[in-house]
Short mmCIF file of all heavy atoms in Angstrom, two decimals:
data_model
loop_
_atom_site.label_atom_id
_atom_site.label_comp_id
_atom_site.label_asym_id
_atom_site.label_seq_id
_atom_site.Cartn_x
_atom_site.Cartn_y
_atom_site.Cartn_z
N ALA A 1 85.79 101.49 90.58
CA ALA A 1 86.05 102.47 89.63
C ALA A 1 85.01 103.64 89.73
O ALA A 1 85.43 104.79 89.63
CB ALA A 1 85.97 101.88 88.21
N VAL A 2 83.76 103.31 89.97
CA VAL A 2 82.76 104.30 90.17
C VAL A 2 83.06 105.21 91.41
O VAL A 2 82.89 106.39 91.37
CB VAL A 2 81.34 103.71 90.19
CG1 VAL A 2 80.34 104.75 90.50
CG2 VAL A 2 81.01 103.00 88.90
N VAL A 3 83.41 104.57 92.47
CA VAL A 3 83.76 105.28 93.69
C VAL A 3 84.92 106.30 93.40
O VAL A 3 84.91 107.41 93.88
CB VAL A 3 84.09 104.35 94.81
CG1 VAL A 3 84.57 105.07 96.04
CG2 VAL A 3 82.87 103.48 95.18
N LEU A 4 85.94 105.86 92.72
CA LEU A 4 87.02 106.71 92.40
C LEU A 4 86.61 107.86 91.48
O LEU A 4 87.01 109.05 91.77
CB LEU A 4 88.20 105.95 91.68
CG LEU A 4 88.94 104.96 92.60
CD1 LEU A 4 89.86 104.13 91.72
CD2 LEU A 4 89.78 105.82 93.58
N VAL A 5 85.79 107.64 90.50
CA VAL A 5 85.27 108.76 89.66
C VAL A 5 84.42 109.71 90.54
O VAL A 5 84.59 110.88 90.34
CB VAL A 5 84.47 108.18 88.48
CG1 VAL A 5 83.74 109.29 87.71
CG2 VAL A 5 85.38 107.35 87.54
N LEU A 6 83.60 109.17 91.39
CA LEU A 6 82.76 110.05 92.21
C LEU A 6 83.55 110.80 93.18
O LEU A 6 83.18 111.97 93.61
CB LEU A 6 81.65 109.23 92.89
CG LEU A 6 80.58 108.68 92.04
CD1 LEU A 6 79.60 107.76 92.82
CD2 LEU A 6 79.77 109.80 91.32
N ALA A 7 84.74 110.30 93.58
CA ALA A 7 85.61 111.05 94.53
C ALA A 7 86.58 111.94 93.74
O ALA A 7 87.57 112.43 94.29
CB ALA A 7 86.41 109.98 95.29
N ASP A 8 86.27 112.28 92.54
CA ASP A 8 87.05 113.22 91.62
C ASP A 8 88.43 112.67 91.30
O ASP A 8 89.34 113.39 91.17
CB ASP A 8 87.12 114.54 92.39
CG ASP A 8 86.97 115.69 91.39
OD1 ASP A 8 86.67 115.41 90.22
OD2 ASP A 8 87.32 116.81 91.73
N ARG A 9 88.56 111.38 91.23
CA ARG A 9 89.81 110.70 90.74
C ARG A 9 89.46 109.97 89.45
O ARG A 9 89.59 108.71 89.46
CB ARG A 9 90.35 109.80 91.79
CG ARG A 9 90.59 110.42 93.12
CD ARG A 9 91.89 111.22 93.06
NE ARG A 9 92.27 111.64 94.38
CZ ARG A 9 92.77 112.77 94.68
NH1 ARG A 9 92.85 113.67 93.71
NH2 ARG A 9 93.07 113.17 95.89
N TRP A 10 89.02 110.70 88.45
CA TRP A 10 88.53 110.04 87.24
C TRP A 10 89.63 109.22 86.47
O TRP A 10 89.37 108.26 85.89
CB TRP A 10 87.88 111.04 86.37
CG TRP A 10 88.77 112.09 85.82
CD1 TRP A 10 89.03 113.24 86.40
CD2 TRP A 10 89.51 112.05 84.58
NE1 TRP A 10 89.95 113.95 85.62
CE2 TRP A 10 90.19 113.19 84.51
CE3 TRP A 10 89.62 111.11 83.62
CZ2 TRP A 10 91.03 113.58 83.47
CZ3 TRP A 10 90.44 111.37 82.51
CH2 TRP A 10 91.17 112.55 82.47
N ARG A 11 90.90 109.74 86.54
CA ARG A 11 91.92 108.96 85.83
C ARG A 11 92.19 107.64 86.47
O ARG A 11 92.34 106.61 85.75
CB ARG A 11 93.26 109.72 85.80
CG ARG A 11 93.18 110.98 84.88
CD ARG A 11 94.53 111.67 84.89
NE ARG A 11 95.51 110.84 84.28
CZ ARG A 11 96.75 110.68 84.65
NH1 ARG A 11 97.17 111.25 85.75
NH2 ARG A 11 97.55 109.86 84.07
N ARG A 12 92.22 107.58 87.79
CA ARG A 12 92.40 106.32 88.54
C ARG A 12 91.19 105.43 88.31
O ARG A 12 91.31 104.24 88.14
CB ARG A 12 92.59 106.54 89.94
CG ARG A 12 93.92 107.21 90.38
CD ARG A 12 94.08 107.36 91.78
NE ARG A 12 95.26 108.16 92.11
CZ ARG A 12 95.55 108.60 93.27
NH1 ARG A 12 94.78 108.39 94.32
NH2 ARG A 12 96.72 109.31 93.46
N GLY A 13 89.99 106.03 88.28
CA GLY A 13 88.77 105.24 88.12
C GLY A 13 88.80 104.60 86.71
O GLY A 13 88.43 103.40 86.52
N ALA A 14 89.22 105.35 85.70
CA ALA A 14 89.27 104.85 84.35
C ALA A 14 90.34 103.74 84.27
O ALA A 14 90.14 102.77 83.58
CB ALA A 14 89.60 105.97 83.32
N PHE A 15 91.44 103.95 84.93
CA PHE A 15 92.48 102.86 84.92
C PHE A 15 91.95 101.58 85.53
O PHE A 15 92.17 100.52 85.01
CB PHE A 15 93.70 103.38 85.65
CG PHE A 15 94.84 102.47 85.57
CD1 PHE A 15 95.68 102.50 84.43
CD2 PHE A 15 95.09 101.57 86.57
CE1 PHE A 15 96.75 101.60 84.37
CE2 PHE A 15 96.15 100.65 86.52
CZ PHE A 15 97.01 100.72 85.37
N VAL A 16 91.26 101.70 86.69
CA VAL A 16 90.74 100.53 87.31
C VAL A 16 89.67 99.89 86.46
O VAL A 16 89.62 98.65 86.39
CB VAL A 16 90.14 100.96 88.69
CG1 VAL A 16 89.34 99.82 89.31
CG2 VAL A 16 91.24 101.37 89.67
N PHE A 17 88.82 100.65 85.82
CA PHE A 17 87.80 100.04 84.91
C PHE A 17 88.41 99.35 83.77
O PHE A 17 88.00 98.24 83.42
CB PHE A 17 86.88 101.15 84.42
CG PHE A 17 85.76 100.66 83.53
CD1 PHE A 17 84.66 99.95 84.04
CD2 PHE A 17 85.80 100.85 82.13
CE1 PHE A 17 83.69 99.42 83.22
CE2 PHE A 17 84.90 100.34 81.30
CZ PHE A 17 83.78 99.60 81.87
N GLY A 18 89.48 99.92 83.15
CA GLY A 18 90.17 99.23 82.05
C GLY A 18 90.79 97.97 82.43
O GLY A 18 90.84 96.96 81.78
N ALA A 19 91.47 98.03 83.59
CA ALA A 19 92.14 96.84 84.19
C ALA A 19 91.18 95.73 84.51
O ALA A 19 91.38 94.56 84.17
CB ALA A 19 92.91 97.16 85.39
N ALA A 20 89.98 96.09 85.01
CA ALA A 20 88.99 95.12 85.30
C ALA A 20 88.40 94.50 84.01
O ALA A 20 88.10 93.35 84.03
CB ALA A 20 87.83 95.72 86.10
N THR A 21 88.31 95.28 82.94
CA THR A 21 87.84 94.76 81.70
C THR A 21 88.84 93.81 81.14
O THR A 21 88.43 92.77 80.57
CB THR A 21 87.62 95.97 80.72
OG1 THR A 21 86.71 96.88 81.26
CG2 THR A 21 87.03 95.38 79.37
N MET A 22 90.13 94.10 81.22
CA MET A 22 91.15 93.20 80.76
C MET A 22 91.17 91.94 81.62
O MET A 22 91.38 90.76 81.12
CB MET A 22 92.50 93.82 80.76
CG MET A 22 92.60 94.91 79.67
SD MET A 22 94.14 95.81 79.49
CE MET A 22 95.23 95.25 80.68
N LEU A 23 90.91 92.03 82.92
CA LEU A 23 90.87 90.84 83.80
C LEU A 23 89.68 90.00 83.43
O LEU A 23 89.76 88.71 83.37
CB LEU A 23 90.77 91.30 85.29
CG LEU A 23 90.57 90.19 86.25
CD1 LEU A 23 91.81 89.28 86.24
CD2 LEU A 23 90.25 90.76 87.67
N ALA A 24 88.54 90.61 83.01
CA ALA A 24 87.42 89.84 82.56
C ALA A 24 87.75 89.05 81.30
O ALA A 24 87.30 87.98 81.09
CB ALA A 24 86.20 90.76 82.33
N GLY A 25 88.53 89.69 80.37
CA GLY A 25 88.99 89.02 79.17
C GLY A 25 89.87 87.79 79.54
O GLY A 25 89.70 86.69 78.92
N VAL A 26 90.70 87.93 80.50
CA VAL A 26 91.62 86.82 80.83
C VAL A 26 90.76 85.71 81.53
O VAL A 26 90.98 84.48 81.21
CB VAL A 26 92.74 87.33 81.76
CG1 VAL A 26 93.47 86.16 82.40
CG2 VAL A 26 93.65 88.25 81.00
N MET A 27 89.78 86.13 82.31
CA MET A 27 88.91 85.11 82.95
C MET A 27 88.08 84.38 81.90
O MET A 27 87.93 83.19 82.03
CB MET A 27 88.03 85.84 83.98
CG MET A 27 88.80 86.28 85.25
SD MET A 27 87.77 87.15 86.40
CE MET A 27 86.59 85.91 86.79
N ARG A 28 87.63 85.10 80.94
CA ARG A 28 86.80 84.49 79.90
C ARG A 28 87.66 83.47 79.12
O ARG A 28 87.19 82.37 78.78
CB ARG A 28 86.34 85.53 78.90
CG ARG A 28 85.63 84.98 77.63
CD ARG A 28 84.30 84.37 77.93
NE ARG A 28 83.46 84.09 76.85
CZ ARG A 28 83.28 82.90 76.38
NH1 ARG A 28 83.75 81.82 77.02
NH2 ARG A 28 82.61 82.72 75.23
N TRP A 29 88.93 83.70 78.94
CA TRP A 29 89.81 82.84 78.26
C TRP A 29 90.12 81.57 79.14
O TRP A 29 90.21 80.46 78.66
CB TRP A 29 91.15 83.56 77.91
CG TRP A 29 92.20 82.61 77.32
CD1 TRP A 29 92.17 82.10 76.16
CD2 TRP A 29 93.33 82.25 78.05
NE1 TRP A 29 93.33 81.33 76.00
CE2 TRP A 29 94.10 81.40 77.15
CE3 TRP A 29 93.87 82.46 79.32
CZ2 TRP A 29 95.24 80.75 77.52
CZ3 TRP A 29 95.08 81.83 79.62
CH2 TRP A 29 95.76 81.06 78.76
N ALA A 30 90.30 81.80 80.44
CA ALA A 30 90.74 80.68 81.33
C ALA A 30 89.64 79.83 81.81
O ALA A 30 89.89 78.67 82.14
CB ALA A 30 91.48 81.33 82.47
N LEU A 31 88.46 80.29 82.00
CA LEU A 31 87.37 79.54 82.59
C LEU A 31 86.73 78.56 81.61
O LEU A 31 86.76 78.77 80.41
CB LEU A 31 86.33 80.45 83.18
CG LEU A 31 86.76 81.33 84.40
CD1 LEU A 31 85.58 82.24 84.76
CD2 LEU A 31 87.12 80.44 85.52
N ASP A 32 86.13 77.52 82.16
CA ASP A 32 85.42 76.56 81.38
C ASP A 32 84.08 77.22 80.90
O ASP A 32 83.56 78.15 81.57
CB ASP A 32 85.02 75.30 82.21
CG ASP A 32 86.25 74.52 82.52
OD1 ASP A 32 87.19 74.50 81.70
OD2 ASP A 32 86.26 73.83 83.59
N PRO A 33 83.52 76.77 79.78
CA PRO A 33 82.30 77.43 79.20
C PRO A 33 81.15 77.41 80.21
O PRO A 33 80.34 78.28 80.22
CB PRO A 33 81.95 76.59 78.04
CG PRO A 33 83.22 76.02 77.56
CD PRO A 33 84.05 75.81 78.84
N ASP A 34 81.07 76.37 81.12
CA ASP A 34 79.90 76.34 82.05
C ASP A 34 80.10 77.23 83.21
O ASP A 34 79.16 77.46 84.01
CB ASP A 34 79.58 74.86 82.44
CG ASP A 34 80.81 74.21 83.10
OD1 ASP A 34 81.98 74.61 82.76
OD2 ASP A 34 80.69 73.24 83.88
N GLN A 35 81.28 77.67 83.45
CA GLN A 35 81.69 78.58 84.61
C GLN A 35 81.69 80.06 84.26
O GLN A 35 81.66 80.90 85.09
CB GLN A 35 83.02 78.27 85.20
CG GLN A 35 83.17 76.83 85.75
CD GLN A 35 84.60 76.60 86.22
OE1 GLN A 35 85.53 77.02 85.52
NE2 GLN A 35 84.76 75.94 87.32
N VAL A 36 81.57 80.36 82.96
CA VAL A 36 81.67 81.72 82.48
C VAL A 36 80.52 82.62 82.88
O VAL A 36 80.78 83.76 83.29
CB VAL A 36 81.93 81.76 80.97
CG1 VAL A 36 81.89 83.20 80.43
CG2 VAL A 36 83.21 81.09 80.59
N GLY A 37 79.35 82.17 82.75
CA GLY A 37 78.23 83.00 83.13
C GLY A 37 77.98 84.08 82.20
O GLY A 37 77.89 84.01 80.99
N VAL A 38 77.82 85.34 82.79
CA VAL A 38 77.51 86.50 81.97
C VAL A 38 78.68 87.03 81.21
O VAL A 38 78.45 87.95 80.35
CB VAL A 38 76.96 87.63 82.83
CG1 VAL A 38 75.57 87.18 83.45
CG2 VAL A 38 77.88 88.05 83.87
N LEU A 39 79.90 86.47 81.38
CA LEU A 39 81.02 86.95 80.54
C LEU A 39 80.88 86.43 79.09
O LEU A 39 81.50 87.01 78.22
CB LEU A 39 82.33 86.48 81.10
CG LEU A 39 82.80 87.16 82.43
CD1 LEU A 39 84.10 86.52 82.85
CD2 LEU A 39 82.94 88.60 82.21
N ALA A 40 80.14 85.38 78.92
CA ALA A 40 79.94 84.83 77.51
C ALA A 40 78.86 85.66 76.80
O ALA A 40 77.69 85.66 77.08
CB ALA A 40 79.50 83.43 77.63
N VAL A 41 79.32 86.33 75.78
CA VAL A 41 78.43 87.10 74.98
C VAL A 41 78.37 86.53 73.51
O VAL A 41 77.34 86.23 72.97
CB VAL A 41 78.88 88.64 74.85
CG1 VAL A 41 77.90 89.40 73.91
CG2 VAL A 41 78.83 89.18 76.23
N ARG A 42 79.57 86.37 72.92
CA ARG A 42 79.70 85.81 71.60
C ARG A 42 80.56 84.56 71.73
O ARG A 42 80.65 83.93 72.70
CB ARG A 42 80.25 86.87 70.66
CG ARG A 42 79.60 88.15 70.58
CD ARG A 42 78.59 88.15 69.45
NE ARG A 42 78.01 89.48 69.36
CZ ARG A 42 76.83 89.65 68.89
NH1 ARG A 42 76.15 88.62 68.38
NH2 ARG A 42 76.30 90.81 68.80
N SER A 43 81.36 84.38 70.71
CA SER A 43 82.28 83.20 70.73
C SER A 43 83.46 83.60 71.68
O SER A 43 83.67 84.77 72.03
CB SER A 43 82.85 82.96 69.36
OG SER A 43 83.69 83.99 68.92
N LYS A 44 84.09 82.59 72.15
CA LYS A 44 85.17 82.84 73.18
C LYS A 44 86.23 83.70 72.57
O LYS A 44 86.69 84.62 73.33
CB LYS A 44 85.79 81.42 73.54
CG LYS A 44 86.75 81.52 74.65
CD LYS A 44 87.24 80.09 75.14
CE LYS A 44 87.98 80.16 76.36
NZ LYS A 44 88.31 78.83 76.91
N GLY A 45 86.73 83.45 71.36
CA GLY A 45 87.72 84.29 70.77
C GLY A 45 87.34 85.73 70.66
O GLY A 45 88.14 86.66 70.95
N PHE A 46 86.14 85.99 70.20
CA PHE A 46 85.68 87.38 70.06
C PHE A 46 85.55 88.05 71.40
O PHE A 46 85.96 89.17 71.54
CB PHE A 46 84.29 87.39 69.35
CG PHE A 46 83.76 88.76 69.22
CD1 PHE A 46 84.14 89.52 68.14
CD2 PHE A 46 82.84 89.30 70.16
CE1 PHE A 46 83.70 90.83 68.05
CE2 PHE A 46 82.38 90.58 70.01
CZ PHE A 46 82.73 91.36 68.89
N ASP A 47 85.06 87.35 72.41
CA ASP A 47 84.89 87.91 73.76
C ASP A 47 86.23 88.29 74.36
O ASP A 47 86.46 89.46 74.88
CB ASP A 47 84.19 86.96 74.70
CG ASP A 47 82.69 86.85 74.45
OD1 ASP A 47 82.18 87.74 73.73
OD2 ASP A 47 82.09 85.95 74.98
N VAL A 48 87.19 87.38 74.23
CA VAL A 48 88.58 87.70 74.77
C VAL A 48 89.19 88.81 74.04
O VAL A 48 89.70 89.79 74.72
CB VAL A 48 89.44 86.40 74.69
CG1 VAL A 48 90.87 86.71 75.04
CG2 VAL A 48 88.88 85.31 75.61
N ALA A 49 89.16 88.83 72.78
CA ALA A 49 89.82 89.95 71.95
C ALA A 49 89.14 91.23 72.22
O ALA A 49 89.84 92.23 72.43
CB ALA A 49 89.77 89.56 70.48
N ALA A 50 87.80 91.25 72.26
CA ALA A 50 87.11 92.52 72.51
C ALA A 50 87.38 93.09 73.85
O ALA A 50 87.65 94.31 74.03
CB ALA A 50 85.60 92.28 72.27
N MET A 51 87.34 92.25 74.90
CA MET A 51 87.59 92.78 76.23
C MET A 51 89.05 93.23 76.44
O MET A 51 89.31 94.24 77.12
CB MET A 51 87.21 91.75 77.28
CG MET A 51 85.75 91.62 77.42
SD MET A 51 85.22 90.57 78.85
CE MET A 51 84.79 89.09 78.06
N LEU A 52 90.02 92.49 75.85
CA LEU A 52 91.38 92.94 75.99
C LEU A 52 91.66 94.12 75.23
O LEU A 52 92.41 95.07 75.72
CB LEU A 52 92.30 91.80 75.52
CG LEU A 52 92.33 90.49 76.41
CD1 LEU A 52 93.27 89.46 75.80
CD2 LEU A 52 92.80 90.93 77.84
N VAL A 53 91.13 94.35 74.02
CA VAL A 53 91.40 95.52 73.23
C VAL A 53 90.67 96.75 73.90
O VAL A 53 91.33 97.77 74.09
CB VAL A 53 90.87 95.34 71.80
CG1 VAL A 53 90.78 96.70 71.05
CG2 VAL A 53 91.74 94.36 71.04
N VAL A 54 89.43 96.62 74.26
CA VAL A 54 88.78 97.76 74.89
C VAL A 54 89.40 98.12 76.22
O VAL A 54 89.62 99.30 76.48
CB VAL A 54 87.28 97.41 75.07
CG1 VAL A 54 86.57 98.48 75.97
CG2 VAL A 54 86.57 97.31 73.74
N GLY A 55 89.73 97.12 77.06
CA GLY A 55 90.36 97.42 78.32
C GLY A 55 91.80 98.06 78.10
O GLY A 55 92.14 99.01 78.88
N GLY A 56 92.49 97.58 77.16
CA GLY A 56 93.81 98.12 76.83
C GLY A 56 93.73 99.59 76.40
O GLY A 56 94.51 100.43 76.71
N MET A 57 92.69 99.87 75.55
CA MET A 57 92.50 101.23 75.09
C MET A 57 92.11 102.17 76.26
O MET A 57 92.61 103.32 76.29
CB MET A 57 91.44 101.24 73.98
CG MET A 57 91.86 100.65 72.66
SD MET A 57 90.57 100.43 71.42
CE MET A 57 89.62 101.93 71.55
N ILE A 58 91.33 101.75 77.17
CA ILE A 58 90.88 102.55 78.26
C ILE A 58 92.15 102.80 79.17
O ILE A 58 92.40 103.98 79.63
CB ILE A 58 89.75 101.90 79.10
CG1 ILE A 58 88.54 101.93 78.26
CG2 ILE A 58 89.50 102.66 80.37
CD1 ILE A 58 87.37 101.09 78.77
N VAL A 59 92.88 101.81 79.48
CA VAL A 59 94.13 102.02 80.29
C VAL A 59 95.06 102.92 79.60
O VAL A 59 95.64 103.86 80.25
CB VAL A 59 94.75 100.60 80.59
CG1 VAL A 59 96.15 100.78 81.21
CG2 VAL A 59 93.87 99.82 81.59
N THR A 60 95.28 102.82 78.30
CA THR A 60 96.18 103.68 77.57
C THR A 60 95.72 105.06 77.59
O THR A 60 96.51 105.98 77.84
CB THR A 60 96.34 103.12 76.09
OG1 THR A 60 96.84 101.81 76.07
CG2 THR A 60 97.31 104.03 75.34
N LEU A 61 94.45 105.22 77.38
CA LEU A 61 93.85 106.59 77.38
C LEU A 61 94.02 107.23 78.79
O LEU A 61 94.45 108.40 78.94
CB LEU A 61 92.41 106.56 76.99
CG LEU A 61 91.67 107.87 77.00
CD1 LEU A 61 92.29 108.78 75.94
CD2 LEU A 61 90.21 107.68 76.72
N ALA A 62 93.73 106.46 79.82
CA ALA A 62 93.81 107.02 81.19
C ALA A 62 95.30 107.33 81.56
O ALA A 62 95.59 108.28 82.24
CB ALA A 62 93.30 106.03 82.23
N ALA A 63 96.24 106.54 81.06
CA ALA A 63 97.67 106.79 81.41
C ALA A 63 98.24 107.91 80.56
O ALA A 63 99.16 108.58 81.01
CB ALA A 63 98.44 105.52 81.17
N SER A 64 97.66 108.20 79.38
CA SER A 64 98.30 109.20 78.50
C SER A 64 97.78 110.61 78.71
O SER A 64 98.40 111.50 78.23
CB SER A 64 98.01 108.73 77.00
OG SER A 64 96.63 108.83 76.75
N ILE A 65 96.69 110.78 79.33
CA ILE A 65 96.13 112.13 79.54
C ILE A 65 96.88 112.82 80.67
O ILE A 65 97.12 112.28 81.72
CB ILE A 65 94.63 112.03 79.88
CG1 ILE A 65 93.89 111.51 78.65
CG2 ILE A 65 94.09 113.49 80.26
CD1 ILE A 65 92.44 111.30 78.86
N ASP A 66 97.26 114.09 80.42
CA ASP A 66 97.99 114.88 81.32
C ASP A 66 97.08 115.12 82.65
O ASP A 66 95.95 115.54 82.51
CB ASP A 66 98.33 116.23 80.76
CG ASP A 66 99.19 117.11 81.67
OD1 ASP A 66 99.94 116.56 82.45
OD2 ASP A 66 99.06 118.32 81.52
N PRO A 67 97.66 114.80 83.84
CA PRO A 67 96.82 114.99 85.06
C PRO A 67 96.51 116.44 85.37
O PRO A 67 95.63 116.66 86.20
CB PRO A 67 97.74 114.37 86.10
CG PRO A 67 99.15 114.49 85.56
CD PRO A 67 99.04 114.34 84.12
N LEU A 68 97.14 117.40 84.78
CA LEU A 68 96.91 118.83 85.09
C LEU A 68 96.91 119.17 86.56
O LEU A 68 96.09 119.82 87.12
CB LEU A 68 95.57 119.24 84.49
CG LEU A 68 95.34 119.10 82.99
CD1 LEU A 68 93.93 119.37 82.59
CD2 LEU A 68 96.33 119.99 82.25
N GLY A 69 97.92 118.61 87.26
CA GLY A 69 98.18 118.91 88.61
C GLY A 69 97.37 118.09 89.61
O GLY A 69 97.38 118.28 90.82
N THR A 70 96.53 117.12 89.08
CA THR A 70 95.82 116.24 90.01
C THR A 70 96.55 114.92 90.20
O THR A 70 97.50 114.64 89.47
CB THR A 70 94.41 116.02 89.50
OG1 THR A 70 94.50 115.34 88.20
CG2 THR A 70 93.59 117.25 89.33
N ASP A 71 96.05 114.08 91.00
CA ASP A 71 96.68 112.81 91.26
C ASP A 71 96.26 111.82 90.24
O ASP A 71 95.19 111.75 89.80
CB ASP A 71 96.30 112.20 92.64
CG ASP A 71 96.95 113.07 93.74
OD1 ASP A 71 98.01 113.68 93.51
OD2 ASP A 71 96.39 113.10 94.89
#
């Protein structure tokens, strides 16, 4: 995502970052507690909900902004 933003593709970078955040939420839900590592911040339910909501908001925002002639 950072490479895309630095390459002046900020919408794609934001989309990738949001999708990665949602993937982290799914992984937090699917993995065992001893395999989670740094994905565990609070309780499992809070972590999953927070990552899915924030990732979904970022993806929605990236998809809804007019590209203004860019890719």
Side-chain angles (χ1 to χ4, degrees):
V2 172
V3 172
L4 287 170
V5 170
L6 291 175
D8 218 12
R9 302 285 190 221
W10 63 271
R11 288 183 66 225
R12 290 181 187 172
F15 186 83
V16 169
F17 181 74
T21 305
M22 292 182 358
L23 178 64
V26 171
M27 289 176 63
R28 173 70 169 109
W29 173 72
L31 293 175
D32 292 330
D34 56 337
Q35 295 176 324
V36 173
V38 295
L39 288 178
V41 178
R42 304 267 183 206
S43 69
K44 187 174 189 173
F46 179 83
D47 284 346
V48 170
M51 285 190 259
L52 290 178
V53 168
V54 170
M57 288 172 41
I58 292 171
V59 167
T60 301
L61 181 64
S64 68
I65 294 176
D66 184 30
L68 300 173
T70 60
D71 292 333

